[in-house]
């Protein structure tokens, strides 16, 4: 299974995302922001970083990139797309997911191992979790405060589109503790925390068992491989 | 140079961390009567010919769809400077 990883100018975590895909058993394919073809990939990851230096708004210029025009078109036809951190911001700016992300309420950049609850497992990227499973993956952002209008929030909650919620600590002032969302179809998922940084023992968050042994992020990438095999 | 000026502000009911930080610094500097600061953006679109009504209409569209995000910001002013 070929999974595309998009590199925009200023993307940072594309290599980590590619590594996570490989560890899960997939074949990562590098996609460039100026590409107009997706090289027949079966799914796409929009990784974290600071695309275009966060100019204008986080993710706003990336949303206009040639590769995004093709990704939006294919996502609307069902192509699985995962947006991580800056990738989530790109999904929001591309209108594939609703709402917006603003500077953290406390005005500080934050970097911590973050506990989340998986609240929806009917997506291409979360089907290997159990409902309400608690997971821990790294979080690192300056503009991760999720906001939406009251009507939009009510709709997201009513339709069960909130896919990840922050537990213990709301690290950035996100409304309703929202850490990540899915679209109605479940093929598009975006979240601020970084699953690709918790995929290999020795490099993940600490667990009760051992230091840096957390690999909860691997299930995201196994989920999409499972979704593609079942499709 | 003829230009269209698009001004964007964070929504009034939304926290503006940048403005808050500047307001705090002003307070520390002794400006006791300044009770708040909000910071937005001024974006200039430059032309090498006179600006038409159609350009202005385009600029308003660009302002709404790309230069601002309606979830978090408002376009407060679009003006022509010929």
């Amino acid at each position: 299974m070929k999974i595309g990883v998009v590199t925009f100018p200023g993307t940072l975590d594309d290599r980590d995302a590619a590594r996570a895909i490989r560890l899960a058993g997939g074949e990562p394919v590098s996609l460039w922001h100026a590409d107009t073809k997706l090289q027949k990939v079966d799914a796409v990851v929009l990784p974290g970083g600071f695309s275009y230096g966060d100019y204008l708004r986080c993710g706003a210029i990336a949303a206009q990139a040639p590769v995004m025009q093709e990704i939006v078109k294919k996502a609307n036809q069902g192509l699985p797309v995962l947006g991580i951190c800056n990738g989530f911001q790109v999904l929001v700016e591309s209108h594939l997911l609703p709402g917006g992300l603003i500077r953290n309420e406390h005005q500080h950049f934050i970097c911590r191992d973050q506990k989340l609850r998986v609240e929806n497992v009917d997506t291409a990227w979360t089907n290997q979790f159990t409902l309400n499973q608690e997971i821990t993956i790294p979080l690192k952002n300056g503009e991760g405060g999720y906001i939406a209008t009251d009507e939009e929030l009510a709709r997201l909650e009513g339709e069960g589109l909130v896919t990840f919620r922050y537990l213990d600590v709301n690290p950035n002032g996100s409304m309703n503790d929202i850490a990540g969302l899915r679209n109605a179809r479940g093929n598009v998922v975006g979240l601020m925390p970084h699953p690709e940084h918790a995929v290999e023992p020795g490099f993940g968050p600490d667990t009760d068992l051992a230091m840096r042994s957390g690999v909860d992020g691997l299930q995201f990438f196994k989920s999409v491989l499972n979704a593609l095999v079942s499709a | 140079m003829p230009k269209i000026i698009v001004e964007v502000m964070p929504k009034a009911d939304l926290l503006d961390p940048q403005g808050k930080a500047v307001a705090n610094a002003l307070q520390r500097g002794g400006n006791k009567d300044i009770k708040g600061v909000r910071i937005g953006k001024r974006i200039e679109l430059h032309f090498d010919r006179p600006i038409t009504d159609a350009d202005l209409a385009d600029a308003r569209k660009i302002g709404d769809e790309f230069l601002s995000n309606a979830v978090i910001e408002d376009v407060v002013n679009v003006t022509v400077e010929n």
Side-chain angles (χ1 to χ4, degrees):
Chain A
M1 291 293 169
K2 291 163 77 172
I3 302 181
V5 179
V6 179
T7 301
F8 299 100
T11 293
L12 298 179
D13 295 321
D14 41 350
R15 297 296 185 94
D16 286 49
R19 184 172 176 76
I21 291 162
R22 206 175 300 118
L23 286 168
E27 180 194 342
V29 175
S30 292
L31 297 175
W32 183 234
H33 66 100
D35 287 351
T36 51
K37 297 254 163 44
L38 298 185
Q39 299 183 42
K40 300 198 169 77
V41 294
D42 303 296
V44 167
V45 175
L46 302 174
F50 299 87
S51 59
Y52 301 89
D54 277 349
Y55 291 170
L56 193 61
R57 292 178 308 281
C58 300
I61 299 180
Q64 304 288 324
V67 75
M68 280 311 299
Q69 310 316 306
E70 197 60 21
I71 289 171
V72 168
K73 198 169 84 189
K74 293 277 172 61
N76 285 326
Q77 294 164 6
L79 179 78
V81 179
L82 175 68
I84 302 167
C85 195
N86 189 224
F88 184 21
Q89 294 164 336
V90 174
L91 288 177
V92 166
E93 286 287 348
S94 304
H95 306 296
L96 283 173
L97 293 173
L101 292 146
I102 58 169
R103 188 163 295 280
N104 296 345
E105 194 174 46
H106 47 67
Q107 304 176 42
H108 298 284
F109 190 95
I110 190 159
C111 183
R112 68 193 306 271
D113 292 339
Q114 177 69 45
K115 198 191 255 192
L116 307 171
R117 187 168 54 230
V118 184
E119 296 202 356
N120 197 304
V121 294
D122 298 324
T123 84
W125 301 92
T126 59
N127 58 63
Q128 295 298 294
F129 292 108
T130 53
L131 188 61
N132 294 324
Q133 187 175 340
E134 295 182 6
I135 64 171
T136 301
I137 58 177
L139 173 80
K140 44 168 196 171
N141 67 66
E143 303 196 29
Y146 183 78
I147 63 162
T149 60
D150 291 343
E151 304 84 71
E152 192 74 72
L153 270 184
R155 187 182 72 86
L156 291 174
E157 296 287 358
E159 293 178 12
L161 301 182
V162 177
T163 306
F164 303 97
R165 225 182 284 269
Y166 296 117
L167 282 184
D168 298 343
V169 175
N170 181 333
N172 45 30
S174 292
M175 287 179 168
N176 292 21
D177 299 332
I178 291 172
L181 297 172
R182 63 167 202 152
N183 65 351
R185 192 167 178 170
N187 61 310
V188 178
V189 170
L191 77 167
M192 286 313 295
H194 287 261
E196 81 284 17
H197 294 330
V199 294
E200 191 174 11
F203 302 93
D206 293 347
T207 69
D208 293 341
L209 294 174
M211 279 174 69
R212 305 195 182 106
S213 62
V215 291
D216 288 342
L218 201 55
Q219 300 307 324
F220 286 73
F221 305 97
K222 288 192 170 168
S223 290
V224 74
L225 295 175
N226 177 64
L228 292 169
V229 170
S230 324
Chain B
M1 176 172 278
K3 55 191 167 198
I4 297 176
I5 299 155
V6 181
E7 290 170 281
V8 178
M9 289 296 289
K11 279 194 186 298
D13 53 346
L14 218 72
L15 176 74
D16 170 17
Q18 221 185 153
K20 198 171 138 192
V22 171
N24 288 343
L26 287 173
Q27 288 278 325
R28 278 198 302 276
N31 301 282
K32 299 294 177 212
D33 292 337
I34 299 175
K35 299 303 181 197
V37 175
R38 294 188 75 74
I39 299 179
K41 293 183 192 124
R42 171 192 163 107
I43 299 151
E44 296 186 351
L45 311 175
H46 292 185
F47 292 72
D48 59 0
R49 57 168 175 75
I51 289 159
T52 65
D53 286 348
D55 295 331
L56 187 58
D58 287 347
R60 286 186 199 282
K61 192 162 182 286
I62 292 167
D64 288 339
E65 292 178 0
F66 179 44
L67 301 180
S68 71
N69 176 346
V71 180
I72 56 179
E73 298 166 317
D74 292 318
V75 177
V76 293
N77 219 357
V78 181
T79 48
V80 177
E81 212 174 276
N82 259 316

